[in-house]
Amino acid sequence: MSSPEIASLSWGHMKVKGCSTTYKDCKVWPGGSRTWDWREAGTNHSPGVQPADLEEVVRKGVKTVVIGRGMSEALQVPPSTVDYLKKNGIDVLVLQTEKAVAEYNALAAQGVRVGGVFHSTC
């Protein structure tokens, strides 16, 4: 199962190829995607992305996770979150969201088992 392409990104809107839903923030993994609801893990811009935000993506057997910090990089990613991924043997890229989506799509096109979490506003 391959990682789906992110078909479009604009402020507050993301579309994943093969999915009719428009996301504000989303999680993607080989074979699927869904809304990233920050309330599930109590996530906020600071301290930022928590390991709990990534557990579902990690369970999908990804080799790489791309984290999109927002258009203005307002979303923080604490070292503990990066450490969580590395301890699970997963490569991690933390980038501004437009760059993150481009990197994610490039990896997906190469057949890498890549997953991601993307914030499409600030």
Side-chain angles (χ1 to χ4, degrees):
M1 211 170 298
S2 60
S3 299
E5 176 188 346
I6 296 174
S8 67
L9 168 67
S10 61
W11 185 274
H13 302 279
M14 295 185 73
K15 294 284 290 174
V16 174
K17 192 172 186 177
C19 180
S20 60
T21 305
T22 297
Y23 301 113
K24 175 179 173 268
D25 299 318
C26 75
K27 296 182 179 189
V28 290
W29 58 82
S33 65
R34 76 171 181 93
T35 294
W36 177 16
D37 183 349
W38 289 17
R39 294 172 295 193
E40 291 171 358
T43 301
N44 221 314
H45 286 100
S46 182
V49 182
Q50 304 299 303
D53 291 309
L54 299 166
E55 287 171 355
E56 177 180 18
V57 176
V58 168
R59 284 195 309 268
K60 303 297 182 179
V62 297
K63 182 189 178 324
T64 303
V65 168
V66 182
I67 300 173
R69 292 189 50 211
M71 300 300 215
S72 303
E73 299 185 89
L75 179 60
Q76 301 299 304
V77 180
S80 58
T81 298
V82 174
D83 291 344
Y84 163 75
L85 292 167
K86 288 182 176 177
K87 283 177 184 164
N88 279 281
I90 297 168
D91 296 328
V92 59
L93 297 166
V94 178
L95 301 163
Q96 184 268 355
T97 295
E98 289 160 311
K99 292 176 181 156
V101 165
E103 190 64 32
Y104 167 88
N105 279 342
L107 290 166
Q110 293 167 24
V112 174
R113 288 189 60 80
V114 61
V117 293
F118 302 97
H119 179 44
S120 73
T121 57
C122 48

